[in-house]
Amino acid sequence: MKTRTLSLTFLFACLLTLPQVWAQSAATKLTTAFQKFEADSQLQNGIASLYVVDAKTGQVVFDRNGKIGLAPASTMKLITSISAYELMGKSYRYETKFALRKSGKQTSLIIVPSGDPTFGSWRWPVTKEDAVLKDLVRAMQRAGVKTVHEVVVQNEGWNEEIVPDGWMWQDIANYYGAGAAKLNWRENQYDVILKSGKQIGEPVSIVKTVPNLNGYGLRSELTSAAAGTGDNAYIYFPVGTSTAAIRGTIPVNESSFKISGALPSGANQFVSMLADTLRTLGISMPQQAVLQHNAVPQQGFTFFHTVTSPPLDSIVYWFNRKSINLYGEALAKTIAFADGSTSDTRQGLNKIRQHWKSKGIAESELAMVDGSGLSPLNRVTTHAQVQLLLHARQQNWYPGLHASLPTFNNMKMKSGTIRGVKGFTGYHKAKDGQEYVFSFVVNNYNGSASSLVKKMYAVLDELK
């Protein structure tokens, strides 16, 4: 009996030490792999940070530069996603309300938006532009509207400068650089169809835009490049004019080459498309909106229609799956605007920092300037990212966050890429059942991104 008791005690002790053995084994492998990675010529002027913990216990498995602030690129979208879940709730929905105001014979259409980044988006059936316009037009017909003399967008609390600090000039006129307004439309994005020449160096012409742009023109300064060179075309917002320039190259022999740009005004584009739709029904309306920055008393308003967004859980899914910068900026502004005073991105980010400070994460580890990670001025630590991911695992909204993560290298993780920056942050369950939370960020590397990624994967493979 005594022998049996000792045997059981020994077995129990072995089982208790197994996680530590696994962790030590992973740590040893990671140490060897990371030392090789740091010694690589692509890191000769760069810096890398890798922080890995046991997902169940929080025990640190590996830490190299975990508390050094680095530019995280789009891995920062996880910080914004988790913070939005915490501060807004997974069921949060945006509303865009429509009202009529009559003064004598004058009828005004009043739009009361809330910063919905999904309004007119093609990602959900109910948010598609055709569906939104169809339902709104029907509501206006039921309300007996024959003529609209003025369209007013209630824009109080929202700056006209919708692009956050730190974004690059090369980015902000392109689709991934669309800023978040109080009234967004079709993700503030449009497409440009281009036609290249048959010879290298020949000019590229603009075939059309989809949709037709309201009050905004484009000028091609593009040239044709060798076949297979891909999309190297960038749109530059105009200064002192309403015409933007497209510069760079696209491959030769392209008759319908598509690039995408950022709308300078989602509000005006929406109003223009609504006016065009109404015109076919004999209802006249101005092509542009008036942005009202001061609070307008709602006496005399007759609300007749509301467009409701998908829930936050669904927004986060696309935010991370497709790395939509607009969604991150909209969420940061929405967090700021919770008390109705201002949508200043800086205020939203400060609320995020204060929230996590109350949970033990130093403000200095979350030195953010935007909500998406597009700015090269952001500085966050891999330690902070992992702590947020650990926290998320304990929340009832975790399944939604986990589902939002893309799969790279057979691991559930968010990638991040801007010039000189590459990162991967997420969760992984190994073959032996061990679960890990990790963040791996590299700054100022040289050489190709594709080559670096293979080497980063080789390090992360030690978790498999």
Side-chain angles (χ1 to χ4, degrees):
M1 184 68 177
K2 183 177 180 181
T3 302
R4 183 182 177 188
T5 301
L6 288 173
S7 297
L8 289 173
T9 302
F10 178 74
L11 177 61
F12 184 66
C14 288
L15 290 173
L16 286 177
T17 58
L18 274 177
Q20 295 179 351
V21 173
W22 283 329
Q24 289 171 358
S25 175
T28 300
K29 292 178 180 178
L30 285 171
T31 298
T32 301
F34 197 82
Q35 286 176 345
K36 179 181 177 181
F37 180 77
E38 279 193 308
D40 192 273
S41 60
Q42 285 198 269
L43 269 292
Q44 62 184 355
N45 303 118
I47 183 172
S49 174
L50 175 61
Y51 194 79
V52 183
V53 302
D54 183 303
K56 295 179 180 178
T57 67
Q59 178 184 349
V60 177
V61 176
F62 185 84
D63 176 12
R64 175 65 171 165
N65 297 323
K67 290 196 174 182
I68 300 296
L70 298 176
S74 283
T75 65
M76 201 177 75
K77 288 181 170 65
L78 290 179
I79 296 175
T80 303
S81 297
I82 295 169
S83 299
Y85 273 123
E86 286 278 287
L87 299 172
M88 297 166 60
K90 70 176 183 179
S91 299
Y92 180 90
R93 294 176 186 261
Y94 290 90
E95 289 186 340
T96 304
K97 299 180 179 180
F98 296 85
L100 296 173
R101 180 178 60 191
K102 294 188 176 181
S103 178
K105 296 183 179 180
Q106 300 290 308
T107 298
S108 298
L109 175 64
I110 312 297
I111 306 175
V112 184
S114 60
D116 181 4
T118 73
F119 188 62
S121 171
W122 55 91
R123 301 183 196 279
W124 297 266
V126 295
T127 64
K128 288 182 177 180
E129 57 187 276
D130 289 344
V132 171
L133 290 170
K134 183 179 180 180
D135 288 348
L136 176 56
V137 167
R138 285 178 175 174
M140 293 179 72
Q141 289 178 312
R142 287 195 298 268
V145 176
K146 301 297 182 183
T147 302
V148 174
H149 301 90
E150 179 186 46
V151 182
V152 177
V153 176
Q154 287 201 319
N155 205 57
E156 69 274 13
W158 225 269
N159 295 331
E160 286 189 82
E161 298 78 22
I162 60 177
V163 173
D165 292 342
W167 280 17
M168 294 174 59
W169 179 248
Q170 189 182 37
D171 294 335
I172 59 176
N174 298 282
Y175 76 95
Y176 56 87
K182 198 171 187 182
L183 178 60
N184 305 294
W185 178 242
R186 58 188 327 272
E187 298 189 3
N188 294 341
Q189 179 177 325
Y190 66 95
D191 297 327
V192 187
I193 308 302
L194 302 167
K195 182 179 181 180
S196 60
K198 295 181 179 180
Q199 303 294 326
I200 293 175
E202 288 186 350
V204 173
S205 60
I206 298 171
V207 178
K208 63 179 180 178
T209 65
V210 181
N212 293 326
L213 298 179
N214 174 263
Y216 183 62
L218 296 171
R219 177 180 74 252
S220 174
E221 297 179 9
L222 293 161
T223 57
S224 305
T229 52
D231 179 1
N232 290 295
Y234 293 90
I235 305 171
Y236 292 84
F237 267 143
V239 176
T241 177
S242 59
T243 301
I246 313 179
R247 303 188 181 110
T249 65
I250 66 170
V252 294
N253 296 315
E254 295 284 351
S255 60
S256 186
F257 192 91
K258 185 176 77 172
I259 66 170
S260 298
L263 291 168
S265 172
N268 280 337
Q269 188 66 39
F270 168 69
V271 170
S272 174
M273 294 178 71
L274 175 60
D276 289 343
T277 304
L278 290 172
R279 188 182 302 111
T280 64
L281 301 172
I283 301 173
S284 65
M285 192 183 88
Q287 290 278 330
Q288 290 194 326
V290 176
L291 293 183
Q292 176 58 257
H293 296 291
N294 297 320
V296 178
Q298 295 186 0
Q299 290 86 351
F301 284 20
T302 302
F303 286 94
F304 67 93
H305 188 62
T306 299
V307 177
T308 304
S309 78
L312 177 69
D313 211 33
S314 186
I315 294 172
V316 166
Y317 176 87
W318 287 112
F319 175 38
N320 289 320
R321 279 297 177 102
K322 294 299 182 181
S323 210
I324 309 167
N325 294 325
L326 170 71
Y327 287 15
E329 303 316 319
L331 292 174
K333 284 180 169 290
T334 303
I335 290 169
F337 199 62
D339 58 7
S341 59
T342 178
S343 69
D344 191 317
T345 299
R346 290 169 293 185
Q347 294 298 322
L349 299 177
N350 186 55
K351 287 184 178 180
I352 290 173
R353 280 189 290 270
Q354 293 306 313
H355 176 77
W356 296 113
K357 179 181 179 182
S358 71
K359 297 185 182 300
I361 299 176
E363 293 179 75
S364 57
E365 291 195 57
L366 296 172
M368 304 175 292
V369 298
D370 68 14
S372 64
L374 182 59
S375 171
L377 300 182
N378 290 300
R379 295 291 182 273
V380 303
T381 69
T382 54
H383 168 264
Q385 289 183 309
V386 167
Q387 293 306 307
L388 266 68
L389 290 172
L390 272 175
H391 174 83
R393 288 185 82 253
Q394 308 304 317
Q395 311 308 313
N396 63 1
W397 41 258
Y398 172 68
L401 177 75
H402 190 267
S404 77
L405 294 178
T407 299
F408 298 105
N409 193 38
N410 294 316
M411 306 174 86
K412 291 286 283 185
M413 56 189 184
K414 183 76 188 76
S415 67
T417 306
I418 56 176
R419 183 175 179 180
V421 176
K422 193 67 191 180
F424 294 101
T425 301
Y427 303 94
H428 183 65
K429 185 174 183 178
K431 293 178 181 178
D432 60 14
Q434 281 295 103
E435 296 181 49
Y436 300 99
V437 184
F438 64 89
S439 183
F440 190 5
V441 176
V442 180
N443 278 197
N444 204 44
Y445 66 89
N446 60 71
S448 73
S450 60
S451 175
L452 182 80
V453 166
K454 291 178 181 178
K455 295 166 187 175
M456 293 178 75
Y457 283 174
V459 176
L460 292 175
D461 283 345
E462 300 301 340
L463 296 175
K464 295 181 175 180

